[in-house]
Amino acid sequence: DSGVTQTPKHLITATGQRVTLRCSPRSGDLSVYWYQQSLDQGLQFLIQYYNGEERAKGNILERFSAQQFPDLHSELNLSSLELGDSALYFCASSAGQGRSGNTIYFGEGSWLTVV
Amino acid sequence: LAKTTQPISMDSYEGQEVNITCSHNNIATNDYITWYQQFPSQGPRFIIQGYKTKVTNEVASLFIPADRKSSTLSLPRVSLSDTAVYYCLVGDGAAGNKLTFGGGTRVLVKP
């Protein structure tokens, strides 16, 4: 158990809908990262937050947004969903801003299926 | 941002040692090298991290040459349960490093 909690574990929704994925980082961790992993694909970095502020942005679609709240949990919002958005979405956390030597720990992911 | 290159796949047999090399030619001075293991439909799991020379823990060893342009993850006496994808991650999170993973190495351990 990495200590990173993601909900829901599984989600099925229709095209055009909007969903919210939730992540609670490890106790004391200030950084949260979101990754997308499609079937048999690598981990695609989406976005990183540190203590409530956006720190880095990857190839995140404009239909996707995220935020980190004062209690450090984070939410990833996916809207106008398309079939191609079906994937595993991972949240990870680390103590700092992902600095050297700062290990990131992953949750077990939220499996999104768009039908 | 240091880009990493790993072999796509490797086959091995139970009880053998598996060595996976990751190339990161443009590694920066402050970058650390971290290896993760991922099973299907599970989150990547931290294996080992190092900066230079050799690091060893209860599951693996990490060898980093003096120029740090590559690193080798060594898994001693693998078992069937070591079948997984192994990722090498090199990064420095300062100023918003994107901590981008490479393609990973799919290791298949055969009986």
Side-chain angles (χ1 to χ4, degrees):
Chain A
D1 183 5
S2 67
V4 178
T5 303
Q6 291 187 245
T7 57
K9 286 184 169 43
H10 297 92
L11 187 59
I12 301 174
T13 190
T15 55
Q17 295 298 305
R18 171 190 170 96
V19 299
T20 297
L21 309 180
R22 194 178 192 278
C23 170
S24 294
R26 293 189 321 154
S27 178
D29 282 358
L30 299 179
S31 264
V32 169
Y33 309 78
W34 286 98
Y35 289 84
Q36 178 193 55
Q37 187 172 42
S38 302
L39 191 64
D40 290 334
Q41 298 295 312
L43 292 152
Q44 302 296 319
F45 171 79
L46 296 178
I47 198 163
Q48 179 207 353
Y49 281 84
Y50 174 76
N51 203 20
E53 295 186 6
E54 182 183 306
R55 274 290 184 259
K57 183 176 283 191
N59 295 323
I60 186 169
L61 300 173
E62 288 191 6
R63 300 183 285 109
F64 296 180
S65 65
Q67 55 182 328
Q68 186 180 27
F69 295 87
D71 67 353
L72 302 177
H73 92 271
S74 178
E75 293 181 355
L76 178 66
N77 300 297
L78 315 174
S79 61
S80 302
L81 286 167
E82 302 174 359
L83 296 178
D85 297 328
S86 295
L88 255 175
Y89 290 85
F90 289 108
C91 172
S93 75
S94 70
Q97 298 188 51
R99 288 188 178 274
S100 304
N102 227 337
T103 302
I104 58 174
Y105 294 90
F106 284 79
E108 289 306 308
S110 291
W111 185 263
L112 172 66
T113 302
V114 182
V115 298
Chain B
L1 176 64
K3 180 181 177 181
T4 60
T5 303
Q6 303 174 232
I8 294 174
S9 63
M10 298 178 69
D11 288 358
S12 184
Y13 290 91
E14 283 190 291
Q16 289 189 337
E17 179 182 79
V18 171
N19 296 305
I20 309 170
T21 297
C22 178
S23 297
H24 28 81
N25 291 319
N26 58 339
I27 188 170
T29 302
N30 293 330
D31 285 347
Y32 274 64
I33 301 156
T34 311
W35 284 81
Y36 291 83
Q37 175 193 54
Q38 187 181 29
F39 298 113
S41 300
Q42 293 187 24
R45 183 176 70 97
F46 171 85
I47 300 175
I48 197 167
Q49 184 181 77
Y51 182 80
K52 62 181 179 180
T53 62
K54 177 184 175 182
V55 179
T56 297
N57 62 21
E58 63 276 9
V59 298
S61 294
L62 179 59
F63 300 91
I64 305 169
D67 66 5
R68 303 202 325 124
K69 293 184 183 301
S70 67
S71 59
T72 299
L73 173 71
S74 180
L75 305 172
R77 298 180 299 281
V78 293
S79 63
L80 296 177
S81 63
D82 293 316
T83 293
V85 178
Y86 293 82
Y87 291 96
C88 161
L89 179 64
V90 175
D92 171 4
N97 179 276
K98 299 177 182 179
L99 292 181
T100 301
F101 284 77
T105 299
R106 191 175 299 271
V107 173
L108 173 62
V109 179
K110 303 176 183 177

